[in-house]
Amino acid sequence: MDRLIGRRLGTLVLGGIGLLVSQHGLATLAVGQDQLAREVLFQEDFENGRSRWDTTDDGAWDILQNQGNSTFGLNKRISNYQPKVRSPHNIAMIKGLTAGDLQITFRVRSTHDTGNHRDCCVFFGYQDPEHFYYVHLGAKPDPASGQIMIVNGEPRRPLTKNESPIAWDDRWHAVKVIRKVSDGTIEIYFDDMDRPIMKANDTTFGAGRVGIGSFDDQNEFDDIRVESLKEVPNPKTKNQEKKPPQRPTPTVADYPYGKESPRQRFDFWQAESDTPTPVVLLIHGGGWRNGDKTGYGNNPIKKYLQEGISVAAINYRFIEQAMEQGVDPPVKGPLMDAARALQTIRSKAKQWNIDSTRIGATGSSAGACTSLWLALHDEMADPASTDQVARESTRLACAAVVGAQTSLDPKELREWISNSIYGGHAFGFAAKGRTREQEFDLLLENRDKVLPWIQQYSPIALVSADDPPIFLEYPNQKTPPTFGGKESDPTHSAMYGLQLQKAYRSARLQCDLVFPGNRDSEFSNSHEFLIHHLKKSK
């Protein structure tokens, strides 16, 4: 095994970038106004074991199970591998990959509390066992710990003079390494992906192998991704700023429904009809952190208008805006904005020729969760209010959504989907530089404190016998969902839908569920479902 680690592989290298033909793909990113693709050289979640890795000590590494999720971790501190020169002992190298200009990202958790001795290592530019770079993320920095290191035929020596400790604990942490062969740049990030904790410049080694490990500590790794830094035009997009899709001119544009934010606006399209029309409320996705109503184009707007159904597309406050305004919990901002927009539309029923008893909602991802929250929430109208809009109903006749999160309870989600990471920001655990995983971990840690909020804003917790028919679609489901399993897209897994459908059927309510391999509906998509249910009572 040591010989495998030391062998220089004849991997194809173009412009200093190693190509892993069997695993590479394209990752899209925005640079200025351009949409570019970054080549993904390697991805690993360890669900298929460890066969793609060479290790210095096979017996020191195991595939571990963490709440149903497979990870790759060390089972002992002292390795059987003893390098010829002073350098790390426990090393796992990616097979068949040589890379130069690259970005490495992964999640790591320290599994053995050794106090100031905790560490993690990342290897790059690896030529052979006596020639390579590595970063030592040590809890207590000194010239031999917590530095960017070089091993060049002699005991490792630091390239940095870092004095900042690494904040190890028992949680998962995010690491990013950037290496540019051309100018020798090395940047190391820990949790805060915008601000490096260490920098160095060294051009001793060019392209080399990539790996993970530890000097003499224990950790577990997951979700490893290696990307080239070579950026090329994305074949799926033009090299220009993405413009909103074409759409009909609204009957009423940017109509204000609140005063707390400029985003409290909606566009309305009135269908041609001699009698009051149903309405479809379009609520955009984006994690309650981005997106815009202008993302809805001719399809679906024209499709509804041609059926005699009016359309409204809303904007709402984002989580960060709600946090700045002191809204508790922050998710209350976008959800209550949607309710207020619905009430405002109802208040215009006579003026805009609307049948206020036939209003449905649709959206994807966060917009889907918002739509379901509206559909399942008890009436929020205040009949005694002096505000006419506040007296209007917040109930929906139906909802049809795509990729909906049906619960925001972290305990429940980890039971359903072992690698769930979505929802921490909804309850105020967002912060600059904090990853989605860290937000989720904080929500899980503080679950008991915010449980009343979780129950108030999770759609599944609101199911009652008077709820309207709903349609759930999960088009991105790649494999049949299994309870407690790991999902390729845990934020939009069909397991969300299966669990809500179970709750709906227990209440003897209609819940259609569609995803690849599952067609529990007479309708193939949300458009068909909404058109049918909004027109059938006409």
Side-chain angles (χ1 to χ4, degrees):
M1 182 54 64
D2 294 350
R3 290 193 298 272
L4 285 175
I5 288 289
R7 186 180 303 156
R8 300 190 189 197
L9 301 179
T11 306
L12 177 63
V13 178
L14 298 177
I17 300 172
L19 302 181
L20 183 66
V21 178
S22 63
Q23 299 296 334
H24 80 278
L26 292 177
T28 302
L29 65 157
V31 179
Q33 294 184 347
D34 298 335
Q35 291 293 319
L36 301 176
R38 178 174 291 173
E39 189 174 16
V40 179
L41 305 177
F42 181 85
Q43 292 187 98
E44 178 68 271
D45 62 9
F46 302 104
E47 292 304 305
N48 294 317
R50 53 185 288 178
S51 62
R52 300 163 69 192
W53 295 83
D54 289 331
T55 63
T56 51
D57 181 355
D58 279 351
W61 293 85
D62 287 323
I63 293 295
L64 308 174
Q65 293 299 317
N66 189 320
Q67 296 182 321
N69 177 44
S70 297
T71 62
F72 194 35
L74 287 159
N75 57 43
K76 61 182 180 179
R77 292 184 60 199
I78 307 302
S79 171
N80 292 334
Y81 170 68
Q82 297 299 315
K84 292 181 180 179
V85 298
R86 184 67 170 160
S87 56
H89 297 241
N90 278 316
I91 304 173
M93 286 289 177
I94 300 169
K95 292 181 179 179
L97 174 64
T98 300
D101 293 352
L102 56 79
Q103 174 177 287
I104 309 165
T105 57
F106 60 88
R107 296 193 304 133
V108 61
R109 187 174 75 89
S110 174
T111 58
H112 188 68
D113 187 358
T114 51
N116 289 332
H117 200 71
R118 291 191 184 197
D119 76 37
C120 158
C121 294
V122 192
F123 303 87
F124 49 96
Y126 188 102
Q127 311 297 305
D128 58 47
E130 286 84 50
H131 301 87
F132 57 92
Y133 296 110
Y134 73 98
V135 57
H136 183 271
L137 295 166
K140 186 179 181 180
D142 58 41
S145 174
Q147 311 294 338
I148 300 173
M149 299 285 194
I150 184 171
V151 178
N152 191 14
E154 59 184 7
R156 82 290 195 238
R157 61 179 177 83
L159 296 175
T160 50
K161 296 181 180 180
N162 176 50
E163 297 181 352
S164 300
I166 299 298
W168 286 111
D169 49 31
D170 294 331
R171 300 175 184 171
W172 284 95
H173 294 274
V175 174
K176 178 170 72 175
V177 176
I178 290 178
R179 166 62 174 166
K180 297 179 181 178
V181 171
S182 55
D183 62 7
T185 295
I186 302 173
E187 295 180 351
I188 311 301
Y189 301 75
F190 188 87
D191 285 343
D192 185 342
M193 297 294 103
D194 296 322
R195 184 171 53 190
I197 59 171
M198 284 183 267
K199 291 183 180 181
N201 283 87
D202 190 273
T203 58
T204 303
F205 304 130
R209 298 188 69 182
V210 177
I212 53 174
S214 171
F215 202 105
D216 52 8
D217 206 53
Q218 288 178 236
N219 10 63
E220 61 179 317
F221 300 84
D222 200 8
D223 299 326
I224 297 171
R225 183 183 180 98
V226 182
E227 300 175 22
S228 76
L229 294 182
K230 181 180 179 181
E231 295 161 357
V232 297
N234 188 338
K236 294 184 179 180
T237 60
K238 293 184 178 180
N239 193 23
Q240 60 184 21
E241 184 178 10
K242 186 177 180 180
K243 297 180 180 179
Q246 291 185 342
R247 60 180 190 158
T249 301
T251 307
V252 180
D254 283 325
Y255 191 89
Y257 63 84
K259 299 179 180 179
E260 291 88 358
S261 169
R263 284 192 55 81
Q264 292 174 316
R265 302 285 188 274
F266 63 74
D267 296 333
F268 178 78
W269 291 263
Q270 183 175 326
E272 295 183 6
S273 176
D274 294 332
T275 58
T277 67
V279 179
V280 167
L281 192 63
L282 306 178
I283 307 176
H284 71 78
W288 298 307
R289 295 178 123 160
N290 53 68
D292 194 85
K293 57 185 171 61
T294 57
Y296 288 103
N298 286 332
N299 183 20
I301 296 172
K302 281 188 174 181
K303 185 174 294 185
Y304 293 121
L305 293 178
Q306 291 167 356
E307 293 289 338
I309 299 173
S310 296
V311 179
I314 76 167
N315 276 346
Y316 48 81
R317 285 172 290 176
F318 294 144
I319 291 292
E320 281 72 15
Q321 293 172 323
M323 290 178 69
E324 289 173 1
Q325 294 175 352
V327 178
D328 284 328
V331 73
K332 180 180 179 181
L335 296 190
M336 290 304 296
D337 280 0
R340 178 73 181 186
L342 173 59
Q343 290 177 303
T344 303
I345 292 166
R346 275 203 166 99
S347 73
K348 297 292 182 180
K350 184 175 182 180
Q351 183 178 344
W352 293 345
N353 195 34
I354 291 170
D355 181 347
S356 62
T357 66
R358 291 186 291 151
I359 300 180
T362 187
S364 63
S365 194
C369 184
T370 301
S371 298
L372 291 177
W373 183 82
L374 277 177
L376 307 184
H377 202 286
D378 290 342
E379 180 65 75
M380 290 179 279
D382 182 3
S385 177
T386 58
D387 177 5
Q388 177 192 349
V389 173
R391 296 197 297 268
E392 297 289 345
S393 173
T394 59
R395 297 309 308 269
L396 292 173
C398 56
V401 296
V402 179
Q405 298 85 37
T406 61
S407 174
L408 297 174
D409 183 344
K411 181 177 181 293
E412 187 170 56
L413 292 180
R414 278 286 166 84
E415 292 172 353
W416 297 356
I417 308 162
S418 65
N419 58 329
S420 290
I421 57 172
Y422 184 83
H425 64 307
F427 300 103
F429 296 105
K432 182 175 175 57
R434 189 173 289 166
T435 65
R436 182 177 284 187
E437 292 92 336
Q438 290 170 324
E439 293 171 353
F440 188 92
D441 287 345
L442 286 170
L443 175 58
L444 190 60
E445 182 180 321
N446 292 276
R447 176 181 179 270
D448 291 345
K449 298 176 184 177
V450 298
L451 188 56
W453 284 346
I454 292 171
Q455 294 172 337
Q456 186 176 354
Y457 294 101
S458 292
I460 196 168
L462 305 177
V463 174
S464 57
D466 60 345
D467 289 335
I470 59 175
F471 177 96
L472 308 175
E473 184 178 1
Y474 293 88
N476 295 333
Q477 188 69 34
K478 292 182 172 59
T479 58
T482 58
F483 188 87
K486 185 175 183 179
E487 292 284 352
S488 60
D489 183 1
T491 303
H492 307 99
S493 166
M495 184 56 64
Y496 279 107
L498 286 168
Q499 295 304 310
L500 182 58
Q501 186 184 58
K502 185 186 301 183
Y504 238 64
R505 288 184 169 174
S506 294
R508 300 182 181 278
L509 298 169
Q510 179 187 350
C511 176
D512 291 11
L513 177 60
V514 172
F515 58 88
N518 186 83
R519 180 70 176 275
D520 190 9
S521 177
E522 63 179 290
F523 308 101
S524 59
N525 55 53
S526 58
H527 300 138
E528 293 178 4
F529 181 92
L530 287 169
I531 290 169
H532 172 81
H533 282 278
L534 291 175
K535 294 183 69 174
K536 72 177 184 178
S537 58
K538 187 173 180 179

